[in-house]
């Protein structure tokens, strides 16, 4: 039986119709393309009325294949597949031609754009004639979820799932949960206490029956697929027995060794060799830093063991391995701050009173090393003038071209704290002030009223080389003030550098471990930046918070809750459908060369030693085609992208060439009605 194809060309408002003559394209397709019995153009094919049009034509015209020429398949392929299924047609008898991204958005000439759109539709029609009916497979979903990273995003995701009655493993590499937010004093724009918001949530995590907290632990290996992941993780030795420790803190009090706290206190304060990162840490158990502990250095001391009332100190403790089976994974691994020494002209690490934003956060914290007093490096002198430099490492082609999203508001917060606690003059050196969220612009107006000085221009240099008596003993900020059009030298006592937010150093390793991708900057890539910002291309692996890109606390909380909602939806259904567009291996042709095993980005191909051949785990395969292209013996075939379909599409794309060279003359277009 001859196939009956329906072609639908979308105007997409003026996105496509503004460049492509869509009416002419539809008329041409109906008159010239083999098998096309219906060709229509419509304003918005993705609308409910557009989808209904497809459904009705399948039923009334007996369509056996459907082609929609519109935007990218990444955006609406699933939409039109559902429309086909609603009309009783197998959804894989559908093909989409991208005439927005590949034509109207990249072509200005109307005649050329219209011709190119015709060729893309010809290719899609030729291809869809060779499509085969495919059916997705179902797999059960393990109710347990693993969340990696216990900052505010991970905590929110864990609590959302646990409160819904689902078991959660919350994995954190640091001794305590809380992330960067635990280091902050106040949060913008409301200036409420960060600890007052965060610590109740941390306590809820610790006390929740459905949350298994695995702090001081790291994931080493992940295998499996959506609904059925197997995880191997390392629980690092604390040298403290968590079952007997009461968290009394006597061991910390009696420890004779003090070291600079480079992590939580950003190098401004001290901690003991056995320590809790901060007083409200969860869990409450301390950890021994083996690099600074006297016993691990010299084999003597053991003061903590001698004074521990419950005998919880265990110097023989070793790392232990754990195996977990989970249905879904949420990555909330956070960010790190830009290393300001990479911009040497700003003097960080060389000029004593140049501070990073995190150092100032700890200095301004009431529980920090200075008790909230804002002082210079000597720990005594209060500054009389402070400069805050924006975009250090951000919006900079030499480092990170992106905006770090939170720096402007954090700088405004710092300015408020300085003005509130000292008599200092505060200068804010900015490129642009960006205050897009609720209450942010009002906070900016408030700082202007409080007397903060705003200087528009990128700082060129921070130096202590004085040129006049008024600059002696000061830090001089050299900047071009673009609002008044001249160079300025502003002498100050203290400089705060607003360093960029950047991906963690091991972000790419983590991405490989979990089978997801990173952007060029190193942030985890979402499935779709607008329509699916928490899912990844690996089904069952979700991302939340600043591991995806710079964002503030409300944005991180929202993403944590969104990821939890997506996971909960799958758990509630009990099963998930696996996409049938996967590769398969003809084992009679497989030579066992293992090229495909090494190249598969999703680790979906196993090598069977006894048989000497490779085999694909269809639940893990994403149909990317890497193995198909690489196989030297042609043993691998990609469903929905086999050679016959690809060659047919290429032949269709060359329609004008083939028919112009005498294969057959193109049919005349009918006159407009």
């Amino acid at each position: 039986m001859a196939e009956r194809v329906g072609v639908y060309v979308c105007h997409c408002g003026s996105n496509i119709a503004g460049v492509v003559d869509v009416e002419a394209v539809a008329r041409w397709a109906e008159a010239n393309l083999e098998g096309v019995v219906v060709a229509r153009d419509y304003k918005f094919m993705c609308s409910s009325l557009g989808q209904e049009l497809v459904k009705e034509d399948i039923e009334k015209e007996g369509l056996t294949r459907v082609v929609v020429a519109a935007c990218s398949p990444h955006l609406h392929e699933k939409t039109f597949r559902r429309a086909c299924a609603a009309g009783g047609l197998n959804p894989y008898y559908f093909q989409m031609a991208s005439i927005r991204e590949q034509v109207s958005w990249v072509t200005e000439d109307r005649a050329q754009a219209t011709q190119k759109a015709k060729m893309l539709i010809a290719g899609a029609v030729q291809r869809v004639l060779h499509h085969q009916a495919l059916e997705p497979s179902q797999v059960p979903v393990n109710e347990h979820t693993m969340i990696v990273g216990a900052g505010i995003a991970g905590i929110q995701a864990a609590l959302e799932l646990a409160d819904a009655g689902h078991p959660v493993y919350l994995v954190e590499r640091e001794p305590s949960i809380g992330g960067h937010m635990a280091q902050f004093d106040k949060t913008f724009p409301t200036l409420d206490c960060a600890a007052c918001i965060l610590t109740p949530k941390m306590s809820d995590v610790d006390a929740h029956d459905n949350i298994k907290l695995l702090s001081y632990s790291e994931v080493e290996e992940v295998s499996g697929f959506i609904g059925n992941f197997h995880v191997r993780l390392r629980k690092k030795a604390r040298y403290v027995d968590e079952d007997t420790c009461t968290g009394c803190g006597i061991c910390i009090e009696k420890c004779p060794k003090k070291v600079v706290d480079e992590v939580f206190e950003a190098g401004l304060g001290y901690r003991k060799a056995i320590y809790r990162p901060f007083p409200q840490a969860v869990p409450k158990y301390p950890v021994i830093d083996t690099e600074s502990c006297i016993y691990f250095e010299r084999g003597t001391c053991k003061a903590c063991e001698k004074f521990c009332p419950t005998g919880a100190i265990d110097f023989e403790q070793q790392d232990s391995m754990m195996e977990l089976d989970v249905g879904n994974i949420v990555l909330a691994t956070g960010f790190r701050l830009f290393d300001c020494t990479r911009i040497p002209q700003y003097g960080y690490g060389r000029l004593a009173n140049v501070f990073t934003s995190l150092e100032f956060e700890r200095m301004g914290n009431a529980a920090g090393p200075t008790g909230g007093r804002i002082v210079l490096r000597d720990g005594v002198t209060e500054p009389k003038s402070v400069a805050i430099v924006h975009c250090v490492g951000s919006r900079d082609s030499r480092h990170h071209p992106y905006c770090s999203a939170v720096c402007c508001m954090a700088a405004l917060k710092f300015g408020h704290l300085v003005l509130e606690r000292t008599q200092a003059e505060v200068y804010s050196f900015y490129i642009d002030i960006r205050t897009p969220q609720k209450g942010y612009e009002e906070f900016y107006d408030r700082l202007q009223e409080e007397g903060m000085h705003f200087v528009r221009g990128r700082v060129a240099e921070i130096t202590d080389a004085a040129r006049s008596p008024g600059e002696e003993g000061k830090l001089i900020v050299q900047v071009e003030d673009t609002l008044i059009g001249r160079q300025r030298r502003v002498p100050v006592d203290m400089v705060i550098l607003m360093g960029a937010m950047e991906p963690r150093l091991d972000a790419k390793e983590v991405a490989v471990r979990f089978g997801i991708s990173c952007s060029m900057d190193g942030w985890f890539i979402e499935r779709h930046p607008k329509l699916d910002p928490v899912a990844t291309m690996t089904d069952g692996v979700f991302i939340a918070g600043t591991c995806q890109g710079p964002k503030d606390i409300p944005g991180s909380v929202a993403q944590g809750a969104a990821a939890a909602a997506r996971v909960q939806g799958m758990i509630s259904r009990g099963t998930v459908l696996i996409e049938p567009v996967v590769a398969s291996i003809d084992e009679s042709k497989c030579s066992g060369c293992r090229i495909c095993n090494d190249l598969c980005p999703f680790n979906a191909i196993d090598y069977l030693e006894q048989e000497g051949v490779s085999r694909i785990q269809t639940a893990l395969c994403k149909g990317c085609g890497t193995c198909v292209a690489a196989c030297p013996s042609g043993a691998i075939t990609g469903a929905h992208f086999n050679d016959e379909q690809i060659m047919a599409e290429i032949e269709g794309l060359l329609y004008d060439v083939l028919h112009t060279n005498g294969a057959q003359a193109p049919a005349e277009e009918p006159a407009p009605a």
Side-chain angles (χ1 to χ4, degrees), residues 133-262:
L134 300 174
E135 295 294 338
S137 56
Q138 282 193 341
V139 296
V141 177
N142 187 322
E143 189 184 10
H144 291 75
T145 302
M146 180 176 72
I147 298 171
V148 183
I152 186 61
I155 286 172
Q156 184 69 31
L159 289 173
E160 294 279 355
L161 285 166
D163 287 343
H166 306 302
V168 175
Y169 297 108
L170 182 57
V171 181
E172 170 56 50
R173 67 168 60 181
E174 298 297 332
S176 171
I177 64 175
H180 287 288
M181 190 176 172
Q183 296 173 287
F184 302 162
D185 182 41
K186 296 186 183 298
T187 59
F188 54 77
T190 52
L191 297 175
D192 45 356
C193 168
C196 301
I197 303 168
L198 179 65
T199 50
K201 285 186 172 289
M202 292 168 60
S203 298
D204 289 345
V205 165
D206 194 35
H208 211 297
D209 291 338
N210 288 331
I211 297 177
K212 173 70 172 175
L213 179 56
L214 299 169
S215 62
Y216 213 42
S217 303
E218 292 194 53
V219 175
E220 295 216 331
E221 187 180 327
V222 180
S223 59
F225 49 89
I226 181 172
N228 298 273
F229 290 105
H230 184 73
V231 181
R232 186 167 175 265
L233 60 85
R234 178 181 299 275
K235 188 166 177 56
K236 294 179 283 189
R238 285 179 179 267
Y239 303 100
V240 174
D241 184 352
E242 296 179 16
D243 293 330
T244 55
C245 178
T246 61
C248 66
I250 292 175
C251 56
I252 300 172
E253 178 187 335
K254 299 298 183 181
C255 177
K257 183 72 176 285
K258 265 190 177 183
V259 295
V260 176
D261 188 347
E262 298 285 357

Side-chain angles (χ1 to χ4, degrees), residues 260-281:
V260 176
D261 188 347
E262 298 285 357
V263 180
F264 191 80
E265 296 294 359
L268 295 185
Y270 293 87
R271 61 164 172 79
K272 297 292 186 72
I274 182 169
Y275 69 101
R276 271 193 297 258
F278 54 101
Q280 308 97 323

